[in-house]
Amino acid sequence: MSTFRYTGIQVRGERIASIDDTVVREERFSLFMNGTRFLDLVASRENLRELGAGFVLCQGLSRSVDAVSVEGNEIHVSAPLEESCEREIETTGTVGFLCRPPQPVRSGCTITIPEVFAITREIVTDLWRQTGGVHCSVLARNGEVLFRASDVGRHNTVDKVIGYGVLNGFEPAECIVGCTGRQPRDMVIKYANAGVPIIISRAATTDRGIATAHELGITLICFSREERFTVYTHPWRVKGVGPEERPADEGAGKALEGR
Amino acid sequence: MSTFRYTGIQVRGERIASIDDTVVREERFSLFMNGTRFLDLVASRENLRELGAGFVLCQGLSRSVDAVSVEGNEIHVSAPLEESCEREIETTGTVGFLCRPPQPVRSGCTITIPEVFAITREIVTDLWRQTGGVHCSVLARNGEVLFRASDVGRHNTVDKVIGYGVLNGFEPAECIVGCTGRQPRDMVIKYANAGVPIIISRAATTDRGIATAHELGITLICFSREERFTVYTHPWRVKGVGPEERPADEGAGKALEGR
């Protein structure tokens, strides 16, 4: 499967060092049904013919597939569509919306290494251990956990803690989100839309997750577990890890090369 | 967080016993924006006001929220919508479609305990260990792995292996899917739409995942790791675990009580 080498800064106990990490690639593909653009799929660039055929079948759009072809980032499926197939949206995740593009987060908020460890401890709940089926997020500010939310979906947990923040008048630019779940691009865009500058995750990110965090001025910390974590972007917000000074081009919307 | 007690059959090495399991509940909520039904969210029934506020903000639909109220399974958000906010669908998961309802899978396909262990070993890849950021599914038949797919999204991996099956003429009723990811309702519906009778997952399910598998005649095996697994529904397909005989009402569309 297609991966990407990326250099992050790993903190492991007292040790701080560059780490050359293997990150998975996520890409975006447009699915065409009988010649009409139907929706976009975020996926890995392998087995795209199989993905197109399986999506159409597994979503109940058709009971058989006549042909599938792939041209660049377009997947074209020919299939006899079910009659009266209406589209309704039911999501446990994100559904893309074309509104204003997300704006870079410009916040001088910083965090210390012990605070990263403390927030990480707060996201691991008994329920998470007990069921293996829930995610948890926390909203923190000045080293204090303001709110905690659990849900079957990682996207929902982030929506809930940020929703708590907005309903209770906390300034997003001063807040930090901790989350048990993975942080691909759609998750990172949530923090940018909300204006939250620092994210701490137990889990992994993707190439587009890193590129988006870089571009949108978000400090992305992943694989945060007990006494270690990796900072992928904007390390200046983690005291003692990144440069002392907030860089002049922070959050300047500069994309990673080749993204 | 709201959970559900459910009795499965756990196989642990040589030992087969009933196990009283804690399963998380997933529910479906309709999100109304300024009085209009916008989409449905699959989530856990806690912090629904926060979920509504956060979703609208994090998806970039609005920069502020005026009010949120919850009535039963409806979340009503009042917020100044961004101008020219077009909806496009970009998904790493499933998007609900109102086509024909999924039909029960009527397949006499069975599996042995060693075959469950063997398929479980096949879904754990080096890439999964290395990156922590990918899922993997396999399609198996008669103890043989036909195809393996990795992806950033668990939904995509299942679509890919089932897509391989349909493109290569394998009879879904004879196939088994193994998957690293969680199996809530939307995943189970994929197998029903495709006609695959047995699913083996390393991870957890939900109350609606179990109810849907029961109703649609699918044998749902979760927490399958090395020398243990739990069978939640239709155990007669796992030789030596469930009843010898295929029950008369198998896949009869009988829902769990109270679902």
Side-chain angles (χ1 to χ4, degrees):
Chain A
M1 208 175 99
S2 116
T3 57
F4 175 73
R5 299 297 281 178
Y6 190 82
T7 304
I9 304 174
Q10 191 187 61
V11 175
R12 185 184 281 267
E14 303 285 300
R15 200 171 151 266
I16 300 170
S18 283
I19 181 176
D20 202 19
D21 233 2
T22 301
V23 175
V24 295
R25 282 189 191 276
E26 57 164 313
E27 297 188 62
R28 181 172 171 156
F29 303 95
S30 294
L31 181 74
F32 287 75
M33 283 288 293
N34 301 324
T36 306
R37 185 169 163 188
F38 195 67
L39 51 66
D40 284 3
L41 292 167
V42 177
S44 303
R45 184 184 286 279
E46 281 90 25
N47 313 127
L48 296 179
R49 286 185 67 237
E50 289 78 6
L51 177 62
F55 183 86
V56 166
L57 203 78
C58 290
Q59 290 278 329
L61 294 169
S62 179
R63 298 182 203 212
S64 62
V65 172
D66 295 328
V68 190
S69 63
V70 176
E71 296 162 27
N73 279 34
E74 295 182 358
I75 305 172
H76 292 262
V77 180
S78 302
L81 270 189
E82 290 285 314
E83 275 177 38
S84 73
C85 196
E86 285 176 51
R87 186 155 60 174
E88 73 172 357
I89 301 183
E90 174 183 311
T91 179
T92 45
T94 46
V95 179
F97 295 104
L98 280 178
C99 305
R100 69 185 164 102
Q103 301 300 305
V105 176
R106 298 181 195 284
S107 161
C109 176
T110 59
I111 191 170
T112 65
I113 293 174
E115 280 169 355
V116 175
F117 293 143
I119 290 172
T120 304
R121 284 192 296 271
E122 295 287 343
I123 57 176
V124 177
T125 62
D126 287 345
L127 191 74
W128 179 78
R129 292 189 199 280
Q130 191 183 8
T131 66
V134 294
H135 280 289
C136 178
S137 285
V138 296
L139 187 73
R141 198 189 55 161
N142 297 333
E144 183 200 356
V145 170
L146 302 170
F147 193 68
R148 175 186 285 106
S150 294
D151 199 286
V152 287
R154 64 193 149 92
H155 297 84
N156 295 336
T157 63
V158 168
D159 288 350
K160 284 176 176 179
V161 300
I162 288 176
Y164 174 86
V166 70
L167 290 175
N168 292 278
F170 290 105
E171 184 54 56
E174 297 168 4
C175 289
I176 293 158
V177 170
C179 179
T180 52
R182 276 179 301 136
Q183 305 295 323
R185 183 171 184 270
D186 60 358
M187 295 288 275
V188 173
I189 286 177
K190 282 182 187 282
Y191 313 114
N193 281 329
V196 170
I198 303 177
I199 167 73
I200 301 169
S201 165
R202 276 198 99 248
T205 180
T206 65
D207 65 332
R208 287 215 305 170
I210 292 171
T212 306
H214 179 88
E215 199 175 334
L216 296 177
I218 289 167
T219 298
L220 179 65
I221 302 171
C222 290
F223 290 121
S224 188
R225 297 174 187 187
E226 295 168 7
E227 294 299 300
R228 69 173 166 106
F229 60 83
T230 302
V231 187
Y232 287 104
T233 55
H234 299 281
W236 62 270
R237 285 206 189 89
V238 190
K239 284 184 185 168
V241 170
E244 291 282 308
E245 294 292 311
R246 179 177 177 176
D249 70 342
E250 168 255 331
K254 195 180 66 172
L256 278 185
E257 281 174 34
R259 297 295 86 203
Chain B
M1 206 176 101
S2 119
T3 58
F4 174 73
R5 299 295 283 176
Y6 190 83
T7 304
I9 305 174
Q10 191 188 60
V11 175
R12 186 183 280 268
E14 303 284 300
R15 199 170 154 266
I16 300 171
S18 283
I19 180 175
D20 202 20
D21 234 1
T22 302
V23 175
V24 295
R25 283 190 189 277
E26 57 164 312
E27 296 188 63
R28 181 174 171 156
F29 304 95
S30 293
L31 181 75
F32 288 73
M33 282 287 293
N34 301 324
T36 304
R37 184 169 164 190
F38 195 67
L39 51 67
D40 284 4
L41 292 168
V42 177
S44 302
R45 185 185 285 279
E46 281 89 25
N47 313 126
L48 296 179
R49 285 186 67 236
E50 288 79 6
L51 177 62
F55 184 85
V56 165
L57 202 78
C58 290
Q59 290 279 328
L61 295 168
S62 180
R63 297 182 204 210
S64 62
V65 172
D66 296 328
V68 191
S69 63
V70 176
E71 297 163 25
N73 279 34
E74 295 182 359
I75 305 172
H76 292 261
V77 180
S78 301
L81 271 189
E82 290 286 315
E83 275 176 38
S84 75
C85 196
E86 286 177 48
R87 185 155 62 175
E88 73 171 358
I89 300 183
E90 174 183 312
T91 179
T92 46
T94 45
V95 180
F97 294 104
L98 280 178
C99 305
R100 68 186 165 100
Q103 300 300 306
V105 176
R106 299 183 193 284
S107 161
C109 177
T110 59
I111 191 169
T112 64
I113 293 173
E115 279 169 356
V116 175
F117 292 143
I119 289 171
T120 304
R121 285 192 294 272
E122 294 286 343
I123 56 176
V124 177
T125 61
D126 287 345
L127 192 72
W128 180 77
R129 293 189 198 281
Q130 190 182 7
T131 66
V134 294
H135 280 289
C136 177
S137 285
V138 296
L139 187 73
R141 197 188 57 160
N142 298 332
E144 183 200 356
V145 170
L146 302 170
F147 193 67
R148 176 185 286 108
S150 294
D151 199 286
V152 286
R154 65 194 148 92
H155 296 84
N156 295 337
T157 63
V158 168
D159 289 350
K160 284 176 176 179
V161 300
I162 288 176
Y164 174 87
V166 70
L167 290 175
N168 291 278
F170 290 105
E171 184 54 57
E174 297 168 5
C175 288
I176 294 157
V177 170
C179 179
T180 51
R182 277 179 302 136
Q183 305 294 323
R185 182 170 185 271
D186 60 358
M187 294 288 275
V188 173
I189 285 176
K190 282 182 186 282
Y191 313 113
N193 280 330
V196 170
I198 303 176
I199 167 71
I200 301 168
S201 165
R202 274 198 100 248
T205 180
T206 65
D207 64 332
R208 287 213 306 169
I210 292 171
T212 306
H214 179 87
E215 197 177 334
L216 296 177
I218 289 167
T219 299
L220 180 65
I221 302 171
C222 290
F223 289 120
S224 189
R225 296 174 188 188
E226 293 169 8
E227 294 298 300
R228 70 173 165 106
F229 59 83
T230 302
V231 188
Y232 288 102
T233 56
H234 299 281
W236 62 270
R237 286 207 190 88
V238 189
K239 285 183 183 166
V241 170
E244 291 280 307
E245 295 292 310
R246 178 177 177 175
D249 71 342
E250 166 257 330
K254 195 179 67 170
L256 278 186
E257 281 174 33
R259 296 297 84 203

